Structure formats: structure tokens, C-alpha cells
Amino acid sequence: MSDLRSLAQTARYLSRDECEALTRKALGFVTTPDGARVNISSGSQGNTRFAVNQVSTGGDSYDTSVTVTAHVGRRSGSSRTNQLDDASLKQAVETAERIARLAPEDPEFLPELGPQEYQAGRNWSDVTASLDPQRRAEAVRAITAPAAGAQLVSTGFLDTRAGSSAVANTNGLFAYARGTAMALTTTVRTPDGTGSGWAGESHYDWSRIDPAALGARAAEKARASRNPVAIEPGRYTVVFEPTAVGNLIQFIARALNARSADEGRSFFSKQGGGNKIGSKVVDERVTIVSDPFDPDVAGSPFDNEGLPTRRSVWIDKGVVTTLDYDRYWAQKQGVAPTASGGSLKMSGGSSTMDQMIASTPRGLLVTRFWYLRPVDQRTILYTGLTRDGTFLIENGKITRAVKNLRFNDSPVFMLNNLEALGTPVRVSASEDGGPGQAIMVPPLKVRDFNFTSLSDAV
Amino acid sequence: MGSSRREFVRTTSVAAAAIAGLAAVPSAARGALLAPTPSSPAFGDDPDIEALAHLAIDAARSAGASYADVRFSRNRSQSLFTRERRVQGLVDNETQGFGVRALVGGAWGFAASRELSRDEVARVARQAAEQARANAATLVRPVVLAPVTPVPRGTWRTPIEIDPFTVSIEDKVGALLDANAAALKAGARFVNSSMFFLREEKTFASSDGSYIVQTIYRTQPRVTVTAVSSDQSDFQTRSSNEIAPMGRGYEHVRDAKLVENAPKWAAEAVQKLTARPVEVGRYDLVLHPSHLWLTIHESVAHPTELDRALGFEANYAGTSFVAPPEKVLGKLRYGSHLMNIRGDREQPGSLSAVGWDDEGVKPESFDIIRNGVFVDYQTTREQAPYLAGYYKASGRPVRSHGCSYAESWSDVQFQRMPNVSLLPGEMDLDWADLIAATDRGIAIVGDGSFSIDQQRYNAQFGGQLFYEIRGGKITGMLKDVAYQMRTPDFWGALDMIGGRKSYHLGGAFNDAKGQPSQVNAVSHGCVPSRFRNINVINTGRKA
């Protein structure tokens, strides 16, 4: 296999020097005196899929895109290309300027930022960046071989990314950062089709992941979830595993836009006008933060416009403390723009999962959710279904697997009905199994969660 | 399918790399811009691309591939976003590159790059073959490909009237801002509108001897109107969902009549503020094609994908209740005898229409459900052999239905749904006839919230507009309506469908499947249809 090892290489992406040279060259083609910005995104993605205990497909791809945004007076236009030669860059600049000239004046126009100071990013891992197809296949085999040996059927996905991004503008701003991300998820099913278990993890650092342990957790869930029984839909006390909490909490984050709140079209709008900053909206044990420099949920040190990202406390002890302001709305409202970076971390408590189960006379344990879609933005009401491990708790013990259930409920209501919180952990909470945003949340015990129908799906 | 905003953004940015703004060019200069730059040779019949294609196949074969194919593509896209009197974004995007798929020892490998040079093509082809060799380490069942007729030189182009990239930015922006103004004048508090255009030039070559050049266009105009009550206690939106995305040119925007329709959409959003909350219970539902297409997509098109039935998508999209194949093919009663479902990639204006799929197969129209009974799955070359027994028993050849598709040059192709459509009934009925025949029901127009489980049994759908039907007449508007269903029960409750004249193509740009997730653009044709005694819930809550 030495021929394969020789192929191992660190992921391709543009270095700081390459990005500086490229942005300098592109900005050199700019003719408008009113400013322009160049964004570069560059990197490699490697993935291995497996199904029915064998690798089904994989992929390794490399791409770089350059986006030019040009301003003519108060007018703007953008053009993107993935060809980096002089002629293509020049054409991208010309196109952006041409569109800008044809665009109407923007009453909300803001000039490009001046130079900024940035902290160093904390989301790079050499181990992740050098994970090659053979080592991905070895990681997959650590799941598929035990599953096959146990007469179970494993399916899953290992997705790794390594790349860099840069922003530069005609005011002398330049920002560069590189980052890695990965996610490994598996669904293990019993051959009779009556049991299904899932496990997944996501981090920027592959060395934090133990594929065999992850596969074993999914296999155990598959076995335990065999032959589920029907229960009546209705309101239940629920112990949510951290992944299920992450599935739902991210919808609160998506509703944080300050402008929508001020315009009266958001949960965070206040009846009579204005927004809910200063209002208590959830249990006082809940604090929700985005912090791009927290090593647990690290993200990019700058945003698309080159604004330095910083820690944002959205909800502090149950009270809304800020919303997400873009530069225009911040200026209009007289506050600082937010630039949070997008990761999420929620406060926890001291309960263990075992304690939450032991203290429940009758309730459900939910592993994760599937096909979550908004139903009513006024209350952040979502619908979706449990999946891959839903169990009945009776008299403080998990007694049997139950059929999956559809719910119609809101993470806001959920965080008002808290019984107990556990220790926050990183989760893989994206629907598609990709790395998604960095999310760290605790397991929760919640009362009166609203299930509206049963599903026969396993 | 996923139609979150995030996925839409992903679609536009990925597909995009670009639309390098021909639209913005004065017509006299257009020819000059069309001329290839040194780094971006024209696609299609360009001899450089053909040489690179042969190089990729040869390099993969030399590296041990028993089969290899390569796709070169250049995507130009353009997005325009506005709100009220303001343009929020004008983005032109162009991306080009290639991907090589290699079969070594019965296992697949795939690699892709944006660099169209001889060295890079050879390197990536070898990389695909080496990856396949690594992937073969877990091999249980080797890939077997159904036969295909080689196409030495094939060309196909979406039939369009007006290339969207020749229409000026001013005209497009003007159309959107005029629609916004009309909606605001009619009572809307906010309006968001957008246009998206794509042209994909795709060249496919395979070691079977095919060389196929296709040019595909897609267009979607969209308006979403928001009404807000005076005390901020309620807000309601109305999206222009009956204007589906289509495989057409700018004529689709022209025919959408955004300015003419905007006041109606605004009035309906305002009307929703005072609509009566629905009483929970069972109702006969009369579903408009602008709504029903999504129910078909979720509850019929996805569960009849063979890869799902075989377990290949269990970790994300899920499996299917339409399984195992040997127990359901020709046997499973899916719905009432009025239910006839067909797959195709040829309906004019449909998003799935192509000359050949992404492994060089000429698609055929095929029945999926006949008189309520399930008769066939959607397939690719590696999937059709799984059904060899069924096909042989029914005297049919083992061949792919041509359902292979990849979102871009950087994604590996796999099974994606073609257009999956509900065929019209034999009687010449329309929307008004179905309402007139209904005593107590709800009529639903436009798609709204949607969610379905991973085996496609339990689903919940909202909509844009809900009307109470009493005694064959519409008696008022309802809100907070969603219906819950179990797929075979729901389709079993189909008791009345419209005729040929009421047929309408709905669809979506952003159906997500696979890992990494890829989006597919697909249309679903259907007619107004009635479903008896369906469970309706009320989704309104107080925060």
C-alpha cells in the first residue's frame, strides 16, 4: 500500500501570500474611485460515503472562488469567478463595475471598511487537513467491520474540509484566515428493518474523533430500538440528547435578526413596536452565546465585509441581551454591528442523563430529530420527527423502544419548560451530516413537549 | 427536499461561480465578451475540452479503471435580490471545472478540480482511480453497470426563446422594483423579490465511447409579500409559489406577469391577517397543482428512488417504505385507481429535461405507479441490475431509466429523481369543478411548510392560501392550516382529479439528497385533486 501513502498530501488551499498577491492584482484592475472589495474562498473537500457496510462513493475536490464587489457612487454589483488568471480576474472586476453602474442607487449604501485588527483564528487542525482517502477508508472500516460482524447494517459519511478565506478592499483592509472542519456520522440498522441507531460528531480537529466508539454507540442504539411500540401522541416529559437539543436551538439563532424584529416580523418583535431586548423569553438557567474564539466552537475571525468577529451574548440568564445587527441596521439604531461568527454555545447544568431518566416517572428519550421545517415564524414553531433511537421511560428506567413521533413545538416553549440541564458537548446537528455550524449544547429534560402524530418509519 | 434559505443560497453560490455578466453588457460589446479568454476555452465542441476528456479517460484507464467517465462544466448564473424600493444584491457568477469518476475492482472513486490543464486532468484522473482502490478495501458487492448505447457525438440544448443573459440588468431590476411598488401600493408592509438564472454547459465523456455536449437553462422569478398588523401582534406572508422555477429562458419571467400579480399577492397577505383560524378535524382537501406538486415530490417521488429502497441513503435522506423491491414491485397498492405516476426527463419547460443523463443514458418515460399499483423505481446504471429478476420476468431489458445527475463538476453523480408527475384524469374536470363537488372541505393553494419522515410515511404540509368550502362554494379564508398524513392512506383517499386542461408543472431548484448534500432541480406535473377525510391541525400559538 506504499503507493497509496505516497499520495497522501495536505489539502490544497491558498496561502496568505497567495491571497495577498491575488487580491492586490484584482484590486489593481479596479477603475471606480468609490471602492471595491475582493473575497477569496479556497480549499479542498474530501469525503467518503459508506452504505450496507461498504464504501459506496467518495470524493476529493479542490476549488477557489474570487468575488469582486464594486461600488459606483452609492451603487454596487458583484461578480464571482473560479479562474485565477489575469484575464479572468480583470473580467470579474469589469463585470462587477458594469453591474454597479447599471444598478439603482442604494439608500442603505455603506462604504467599505478601513483596515481592522484581527485576533488569530483557532479552528485549524493539521490532522484534519492531511486526512487522505486511505485513512478515511480506514476510519470507515472501524465502523463497518464491527457492524458486519454483529449482523448489523451500517451506513454513513465522513466529510472533511480544509481551506482559507481572505477579504481585501480598496481602503487597505486585508484579512486572512484558514480553517478546517469535519463531521463523521453513521446510521446503523438491524437487518430486519425494525431498529435504527445514529451517532455523529463534528469538530475542526479530526484527532478528537474515535470512529470505533462512535460506531459502537450507533450499533447499541440500533439493537435497543428494535420492534418499537406505538404510544399515544400528546404532551410528554422528554429527555433530549444533546444532538436533539442542537437540532432545535439553532432555530432560535436563525431568528435573531434585529431588523426583522424591529420591523414586526419575528418572534423577537415586541407587540406595540420595537424588539424584545431586555425581555425575559426563556428559563433563567439558559444563556446562549456565539464566540468565534472559544476553542470549543471556534470560527472565522472576520466576516464577509472584513469586520472582526467577536463574542455575542444573545440570551443571558433567560433575558434577550442583543440581536444580530448588520452594519446598516446597527448604524441606523445607534449600536455596534454584531459580527458573531455564527457558532453557538448554550449553558448547561449539573444533571447527568442517568439522573434525568431516573427522575422521570413517564416520559420519552429522544436521540435526534429529522426534517425540521418552520411552521410559524411568529413563535419559532417547527415541525419534524424523532429518528434513530426513541425510547419510553417508565418509573425512572428506559423500558422499550417506541415508534417515531412528529412534533409541532417551539424551542422557545421548550426552554421555558426546563426540568434539568446536563453538561454541554459538541454535537453534529446539521440535517445533511456536513460539518455545519459549531454547536455546543447540554442534554435537557423538558416537560410538556407537544407530539402530534405517530410515524411508522424506522 | 430542503428548501431552507440556506440551501437556496448554497444553490446560487455553488452553481454560481458565475455569471459573468453578459447581461450587463451593451449589445454592441456582447460579442467581445463572449469570446473565450485564454483560461476559459469555450465549452461544447471545443477541441481542447475534447482532448482533455480523452486524456482523463486514458489516465484513469491506465491507472487501472475498468470504467471511467468525466464531466466538464461551465456554469453561469445570475442572482438579483430586492426588497421594497431597494436592490439588495446583484451577483454574476461563473464556475468551471471537471470531475472524473473511476471504477476500479468494482469500487468507485471520484476527484475534481477547477484547473483545466493537461497536468491537472491527468493528476485528478489518477487520484480518482487511487481513491477507488482505497475504497475497495471494504468491498462486499462490486458495482455492476447496466448496458448503455454509446453516443459518439450527442448534443442537446434546453429549448428557450430568450437567453436570460442577453436581457439587461436594468430591465430585470425594473421588473422587480415595479412589482414591489405594486405590492406596497396594495397594502403590503414588506416585499422581497428575486430572479435567478442559470446556464450550464456540460460535456460528458466515458470509456464506453460517448461524448455528449449539453446546454441547460433554468429560470425563477419570485416575490414574497409580508403584511403586518398595526399593533405588531401578527404578520403573514404570501409567496408567488404558483410561479414555479422552470427549464425556460427569460420568457418565463415575462409570462409570470409579476407587476400584474403583485397587488393580488399583497391583498391576499393582508387578508390572511384577519382570516379565521382553522378548527381542527377531518376535511376533504381540494389541492391546487401549485400545492400538490410538493406533496407528490415528498410522498411519491422520493420513496420510489431505488437507492433509498436499497439502504444507500439511510444516513441522511433515509430509506423507503416502498421496499424491499421483490415484495413491492407490481404488488404494492400505493393509492386509489385514479393514481397514475410517470417519470420523465422530456416535458417541455420542465427542470429535469435533458438529452442524456450524467452517465450518458438517454432517459425514457416510465410508469412508476399504474392505476394505484407500484410498478417501477427510478434507476441509474449501477442500480438497474438490482431489478434484473423483475425486469426479466416482465420481458423488459435491464437498463437504467436515466436518473443520474450531479449538481456540479465538483460533485459525483448519483441517482436523482426525474420529473415525477401525476397524470390527468380522463374526465375534463378543473379546479372549480372539484370545489363545486365538495360539501365540507378546505381548498389549498401554493406550497408552504413541509416535513416527512425518513421512510416517507408520515408527512405534514402547510400552504400559501386556505379556503373553507361549504356546500360546493368557497365561503371564506382560513389560516394556521396544516394537514397530517400517512402516505398510502392519503393516496388511497384520492377520489377526484382534474383533466388534461388543468395540468400544471410545479417544481423546485433545491431538492437536497446525498452526502455531501447536492441539490437537484426537478418539476412535478399534476392536476387539481381531491382527498377525502384528511386530518387537519391548527398551527397557531401564542408566544
Side-chain angles (χ1 to χ4, degrees):
Chain A
M1 298 301 263
S2 59
D3 56 326
L4 285 176
R5 280 295 182 198
S6 69
L7 273 181
Q9 57 176 30
T10 289
R12 295 174 75 186
Y13 60 93
L14 296 185
S15 67
R16 173 183 289 269
D17 287 348
E18 288 168 321
C19 284
E20 277 198 271
L22 206 54
T23 57
R24 200 178 307 123
K25 189 182 282 177
L27 291 172
F29 292 126
V30 170
T31 63
T32 171
D34 304 309
R37 180 175 79 242
V38 176
N39 289 78
I40 298 177
S41 173
S42 162
S44 301
Q45 178 177 21
N47 74 80
T48 301
R49 300 188 77 185
F50 55 106
V52 201
N53 295 333
Q54 64 179 333
V55 171
S56 49
T57 62
D60 285 278
S61 64
Y62 161 66
D63 197 10
T64 291
S65 72
V66 177
T67 307
V68 179
T69 302
H71 310 296
V72 176
R74 298 173 67 85
R75 306 156 188 268
S76 302
S78 296
S79 173
R80 182 181 305 149
T81 180
N82 75 339
Q83 300 302 301
L84 309 183
D85 58 285
D86 290 8
S88 296
L89 291 176
K90 186 161 190 283
Q91 183 172 323
V93 171
E94 287 173 357
T95 302
E97 292 188 340
R98 189 177 315 114
I99 295 172
R101 274 184 219 108
L102 296 170
E105 285 210 349
D106 181 359
E108 300 180 7
F109 175 79
L110 288 176
E112 290 294 325
L113 293 164
Q116 308 283 315
E117 296 288 325
Y118 303 102
Q119 296 184 55
R122 294 186 179 177
N123 60 336
W124 177 266
S125 157
D126 285 336
V127 177
T128 306
S130 60
L131 196 62
D132 62 21
Q134 190 189 353
R135 276 182 287 175
R136 292 199 308 260
E138 285 165 6
V140 165
R141 201 159 41 198
I143 297 172
T144 56
Q151 314 295 318
L152 296 168
V153 183
S154 65
T155 299
F157 179 47
L158 170 56
D159 187 358
T160 69
R161 297 150 192 226
S164 64
S165 60
V167 188
N169 68 28
T170 45
N171 288 345
L173 177 149
F174 181 80
Y176 173 86
R178 53 182 197 156
T180 53
M182 59 73 39
L184 173 63
T185 56
T186 184
T187 303
V188 176
R189 296 173 64 82
T190 59
D192 63 1
T194 74
S196 183
W198 178 92
E201 290 184 33
S202 173
H203 207 279
Y204 72 86
D205 183 0
W206 167 248
S207 64
R208 309 275 189 110
I209 310 297
D210 180 345
L214 189 150
R217 285 205 306 278
E220 189 186 324
K221 273 232 160 82
R223 278 189 288 258
S225 67
R226 266 194 190 124
N227 300 316
V229 297
I231 57 167
E232 276 298 307
R235 291 192 177 268
Y236 281 84
T237 293
V238 181
V239 175
F240 292 108
E241 290 201 2
T243 302
V245 175
N247 290 148
L248 295 177
I249 292 301
Q250 54 192 328
F251 301 128
I252 293 182
R254 287 188 200 170
L256 288 166
N257 185 275
R259 185 171 189 170
S260 294
D262 292 337
E263 289 176 342
R265 45 172 163 169
S266 155
F267 164 74
F268 291 101
S269 302
K270 198 170 188 174
Q271 192 165 341
N275 62 49
K276 287 182 178 163
I277 290 178
S279 301
K280 181 167 178 296
V281 294
V282 292
D283 188 286
E284 59 273 8
R285 286 170 288 180
V286 175
T287 294
I288 298 177
V289 172
S290 295
D291 186 350
F293 304 100
D294 179 337
D296 286 332
V297 289
S300 174
F302 52 86
D303 75 0
N304 201 41
E305 292 177 280
L307 201 62
T309 52
R310 60 194 173 90
R311 184 170 187 264
S312 296
V313 181
W314 309 110
I315 293 175
D316 188 17
K317 298 185 179 66
V319 176
V320 180
T321 46
T322 192
L323 294 170
D324 191 13
Y325 290 86
D326 63 22
R327 286 176 64 209
Y328 171 75
W329 203 247
Q331 178 179 289
K332 191 171 163 72
Q333 302 296 324
V335 300
T338 314
S340 70
S343 67
L344 277 185
K345 193 173 189 178
M346 178 179 155
S347 56
S350 57
S351 295
T352 64
M353 289 280 292
D354 286 346
Q355 288 168 338
M356 292 183 203
I357 294 165
S359 63
T360 303
R362 181 176 162 81
L364 298 172
L365 185 141
V366 170
T367 298
R368 69 168 185 140
F369 287 112
W370 161 247
Y371 223 124
L372 296 159
R373 291 294 182 276
V375 174
D376 191 341
Q377 298 292 353
R378 296 173 297 182
T379 53
I380 319 184
L381 189 84
Y382 273 71
T383 191
L385 299 109
T386 64
R387 177 170 173 177
D388 304 321
T390 309
F391 302 97
L392 185 64
I393 302 169
E394 291 175 297
N395 301 319
K397 290 195 171 63
I398 291 176
T399 51
R400 58 198 314 173
V402 296
K403 289 195 174 190
N404 286 306
L405 292 140
R406 171 178 298 287
F407 75 93
N408 276 264
D409 211 326
S410 163
V412 176
F413 301 156
M414 175 175 89
L415 295 182
N416 273 294
N417 292 339
L418 282 187
E419 297 273 321
L421 302 86
T423 305
V425 297
R426 271 294 299 263
V427 294
S428 171
S430 70
E431 183 172 86
D432 65 11
Q437 65 185 136
I439 299 178
M440 189 166 186
V441 289
L444 297 178
K445 181 177 164 185
V446 170
R447 61 182 174 274
D448 292 336
F449 196 75
N450 184 34
F451 292 105
T452 54
S453 59
L454 264 188
S455 167
D456 291 324
V458 174
Chain B
M1 81 167 228
S3 78
S4 67
R5 189 171 43 128
R6 178 178 54 80
E7 280 158 342
F8 179 68
V9 168
R10 179 166 172 264
T11 315
T12 53
S13 63
V14 167
I19 313 188
L22 279 190
V25 188
S27 55
R30 229 170 250 147
L33 257 190
L34 275 168
T37 58
S39 71
S40 56
F43 271 57
D45 290 321
D46 185 276
D48 291 344
I49 293 293
E50 188 162 1
L52 289 175
H54 291 308
L55 175 64
I57 301 297
D58 291 346
R61 294 296 295 260
S62 301
S66 58
Y67 168 87
D69 58 35
V70 58
R71 277 175 297 112
F72 293 82
S73 74
R74 177 162 66 184
N75 286 13
R76 302 168 73 96
S77 65
Q78 182 173 65
S79 312
L80 302 89
F81 298 96
T82 78
R83 62 170 286 173
E84 292 93 53
R85 298 167 188 88
R86 174 176 176 244
V87 175
Q88 292 178 287
L90 298 175
V91 185
D92 272 13
N93 219 325
E94 178 162 320
T95 181
Q96 59 187 35
F98 68 98
V100 179
R101 184 172 69 151
L103 191 60
V104 179
W108 287 120
F110 177 79
S113 174
R114 61 166 196 84
E115 288 178 18
L116 299 182
S117 67
R118 289 186 63 83
D119 287 351
E120 182 71 348
V121 166
R123 182 191 73 79
V124 166
R126 287 194 300 269
Q127 189 184 17
E130 295 299 344
Q131 190 206 89
R133 202 161 278 131
N135 291 345
T138 62
L139 194 67
V140 179
R141 174 183 167 132
V143 168
V144 175
L145 297 175
V148 65
T149 308
V151 182
R153 190 149 298 265
T155 57
W156 189 88
R157 192 177 182 86
T158 305
I160 60 167
E161 291 174 39
I162 306 166
D163 186 330
F165 299 99
T166 65
V167 177
S168 78
I169 288 279
E170 293 110 307
D171 285 355
K172 293 168 179 162
V173 166
L176 292 176
L177 293 181
D178 287 351
N180 293 2
L184 291 169
K185 199 174 162 193
R189 178 81 66 89
F190 305 107
V191 198
N192 293 83
S193 61
S194 61
M195 291 184 194
F196 175 77
F197 306 101
L198 170 73
R199 180 176 71 207
E200 178 174 25
E201 298 165 274
K202 181 155 61 178
T203 300
F204 170 89
S206 75
S207 56
D208 289 337
S210 287
Y211 189 82
I212 294 167
V213 178
Q214 303 189 86
T215 305
I216 293 154
Y217 285 86
R218 294 179 193 143
T219 293
Q220 182 176 32
R222 191 169 171 85
V223 176
T224 300
V225 175
T226 303
V228 183
S229 64
S230 54
D231 65 352
Q232 278 202 187
S233 64
D234 192 7
F235 61 91
Q236 295 285 342
T237 61
R238 164 72 161 114
S239 294
S240 58
N241 295 29
E242 54 269 50
I243 316 272
M246 295 197 79
R248 302 179 65 195
Y250 198 79
E251 65 276 10
H252 184 39
V253 174
R254 178 196 66 202
D255 296 347
K257 299 189 184 309
L258 301 181
V259 178
E260 292 84 342
N261 281 313
K264 180 175 82 81
W265 295 325
E268 287 164 346
V270 171
Q271 194 184 357
K272 282 171 84 171
L273 288 172
T274 54
R276 191 161 57 79
V278 69
E279 283 175 35
V280 301
R282 290 192 167 267
Y283 293 85
D284 293 346
L285 299 182
V286 179
L287 303 181
H288 193 269
S290 61
H291 170 91
L292 185 58
W293 74 267
L294 180 54
T295 304
I296 292 168
H297 173 88
E298 299 287 16
S299 70
V300 182
H302 274 306
T304 55
E305 296 169 323
L306 184 55
D307 53 0
R308 294 183 62 124
L310 296 173
F312 280 76
E313 297 293 329
N315 192 49
Y316 169 36
T319 56
S320 174
F321 78 91
V322 188
E326 63 276 14
K327 289 194 175 162
V328 294
L329 277 165
K331 297 169 190 159
L332 176 73
R333 175 150 289 280
Y334 210 109
S336 82
H337 69 283
L338 294 175
M339 185 187 193
N340 285 287
I341 299 281
R342 186 168 292 166
D344 82 276
R345 304 194 68 174
E346 62 189 32
Q347 288 184 76
S350 67
L351 290 167
S352 191
V354 288
W356 293 268
D357 78 352
D358 280 350
E359 46 188 7
V361 173
K362 185 158 190 61
E364 56 183 11
S365 292
F366 59 104
D367 287 348
I368 296 173
I369 293 168
R370 204 179 293 138
N371 299 324
V373 176
F374 173 68
V375 293
D376 209 351
Y377 288 101
Q378 307 157 43
T379 57
T380 61
R381 289 188 68 195
E382 75 177 277
Q383 292 177 334
Y386 282 87
L387 305 182
Y390 175 71
Y391 289 144
K392 280 174 188 156
S394 47
R396 293 156 61 189
V398 179
R399 82 181 284 280
S400 162
H401 285 314
C403 302
S404 179
Y405 176 79
E407 175 183 330
S408 80
W409 56 263
S410 62
D411 296 298
V412 68
Q413 62 271 58
F414 69 126
Q415 193 268 306
R416 299 310 302 265
M417 67 176 71
N419 305 311
V420 172
S421 302
L422 174 67
L423 301 185
E426 288 168 8
M427 294 168 69
D428 186 24
L429 302 173
D430 64 12
W431 175 244
D433 295 327
L434 268 62
I435 288 169
T438 301
D439 184 49
R440 180 176 179 273
I442 298 173
I444 303 181
V445 175
D447 58 273
S449 180
F450 54 96
S451 170
I452 190 164
D453 69 41
Q454 74 277 11
Q455 289 190 314
R456 306 275 149 174
Y457 274 122
N458 173 312
Q460 177 176 315
F461 295 97
Q464 290 298 311
L465 302 172
F466 312 98
Y467 295 100
E468 181 184 58
I469 305 171
R470 283 291 165 92
K473 291 192 166 54
I474 284 179
T475 52
M477 186 183 270
L478 300 170
K479 70 175 170 185
D480 302 334
V481 178
Y483 63 91
Q484 296 193 338
M485 59 182 257
R486 184 178 180 277
T487 298
D489 299 342
F490 176 82
W491 285 101
L494 170 67
D495 80 332
M496 202 173 176
I497 67 173
R500 190 159 304 280
K501 282 184 227 160
S502 61
Y503 187 81
H504 167 88
L505 273 182
F509 272 154
N510 51 2
D511 177 31
K513 181 183 171 186
Q515 294 184 306
S517 177
Q518 297 184 39
V519 297
N520 175 34
V522 62
S523 296
H524 298 284
C526 55
V527 289
S529 302
R530 187 174 73 174
F531 299 83
R532 300 301 291 268
N533 204 30
I534 305 298
N535 185 37
V536 169
I537 64 168
N538 181 310
T539 59
R541 301 290 159 81
K542 283 286 171 216

